Amino acid sequence: MAGLLGWPVSHSRSPRMHGIWLARHGIDGAYVPLPVAPDRFSGTVRALVDLGFRGANVTIPHKEAALTACDMVEDEARRIGAVNTLVFHEDGRIEGWNTDGWGFIESLREQAPAFHVKQGPAVILGAGGGARAVAHALLSAGCPSLTLVNRSPARAEALAQELAARGARVNVAVRPPLEGAALLVNTTSAGMQGQPALEIDLSPMSPGSVVADIVYVPLETPLLAAARARGLVGVDGLGMLLHQGRRGFQAWFGAMPEVDAELRGMVAADIPRHAK
């Protein structure tokens, strides 16, 4: 048994994704949604250990609380300051990972196979949890420099200083410096169903550069549609969702699952293709 801890969780596609993988591998297991209010989170985690669960994913608003619930935390999760994957060991210890950044890099490899993060500078829109995970992952993969663009400059500055402490070249800007940028990543909610679209001029980016959006509802955000219209490579947010779940599944159920067109189609069956 494994599950998803969040408040709420009814919107998540993770149970569907893990259910498909369990069926593919013929595993007698289950992955269940676990709606848990914030004030009950730590007690619920310990109860799951006692019930024999193998672990759980963690989503909003529990990712930071999950960090303190762990006995062991991977370095990447500690640097990001949040945990999205819990692994319960037989001796009762709880280990915490953050696979969001790993999932983002795997999604880049899948949807933009000719691109490598070492090719040039990256620009990240946002400075929240998603930005933190993506920034750490890009730097770990060899990105030469990052620029953070956020509505709150103070928040971006704080993240930039943290990243610079790792020896990285990190800048903060009010407007995205896209000339010469090899990669643009939107980690904000802009472009999500029901949210205003991003107003951004992509013309300074060279053909073949990559534009990624971690939003996956709709699958084709206005930003991705504009990117593809200019001959840029678009990477949607569904790939990050699918790939971030693979390491947890392997830890809990003993098999590394695959992300392929069939899985993508089944998980995305009720996700609108374009913004309404």
Side-chain angles (χ1 to χ4, degrees):
M1 292 284 291
L4 175 67
L5 294 158
W7 188 254
V9 293
S10 58
H11 65 286
S12 176
R13 270 71 177 182
S14 288
R16 183 184 303 177
M17 174 178 71
H18 286 278
I20 294 168
W21 283 336
L22 287 166
R24 282 184 175 184
H25 289 277
I27 295 170
D28 181 16
Y31 181 99
V32 295
L34 299 165
V36 177
D39 61 342
R40 296 182 177 272
F41 178 76
S42 60
T44 299
V45 171
R46 182 50 59 184
L48 293 178
V49 175
D50 295 339
L51 287 169
F53 272 62
R54 297 288 182 86
N57 281 128
V58 182
T59 189
I60 295 171
H62 301 315
K63 290 186 179 183
E64 292 183 6
L67 189 71
T68 62
C70 296
D71 302 298
M72 304 174 289
V73 178
E74 276 194 336
D75 289 344
E76 189 76 356
R78 194 172 298 282
R79 285 195 293 263
I80 293 169
V83 161
N84 79 329
T85 303
L86 298 172
V87 178
F88 303 154
H89 293 270
E90 291 184 0
D91 60 5
R93 291 181 301 162
I94 300 171
E95 185 173 3
W97 303 343
N98 192 309
T99 64
D100 284 335
W102 185 84
F104 177 75
I105 296 296
E106 290 297 301
S107 180
L108 279 180
R109 289 173 178 160
E110 176 196 13
Q111 298 185 55
F115 174 77
H116 195 285
V117 297
K118 294 181 180 179
Q119 287 177 211
V123 177
I124 297 179
L125 306 179
R132 295 177 66 86
V134 168
H136 279 282
L138 288 174
L139 292 173
S140 295
C143 181
S145 66
L146 288 176
T147 299
L148 303 173
V149 181
N150 192 53
R151 287 181 299 179
S152 169
R155 192 170 188 181
E157 287 285 0
L159 178 54
Q161 290 177 16
E162 179 185 318
L163 295 170
R166 296 180 55 185
R169 293 172 54 197
V170 184
N171 303 303
V172 173
V174 176
R175 298 181 183 278
L178 297 182
E179 188 170 353
L183 172 67
L184 170 68
V185 188
N186 175 42
T187 70
T188 75
S189 61
M192 185 183 294
Q193 193 75 50
Q195 298 292 324
L198 270 172
E199 298 293 336
I200 184 169
D201 179 12
L202 299 176
S203 61
M205 297 187 75
S206 302
S209 299
V210 175
V211 175
D213 202 327
I214 70 170
V215 170
Y216 63 88
V217 181
L219 289 172
E220 180 91 335
T221 63
L223 175 66
L224 291 181
R228 292 187 172 115
R230 296 198 64 86
L232 306 174
V233 179
V235 175
D236 65 48
L238 183 59
M240 179 175 171
L241 172 74
L242 299 177
H243 283 285
Q244 63 79 32
R246 295 172 63 208
R247 287 185 59 209
F249 186 92
Q250 183 183 40
W252 307 322
F253 302 116
M256 176 59 87
E258 294 295 323
V259 171
D260 55 24
E262 181 186 36
L263 175 74
R264 172 178 279 269
M266 294 173 73
V267 173
D270 61 347
I271 300 176
R273 176 71 186 174
H274 301 282
K276 295 179 180 179

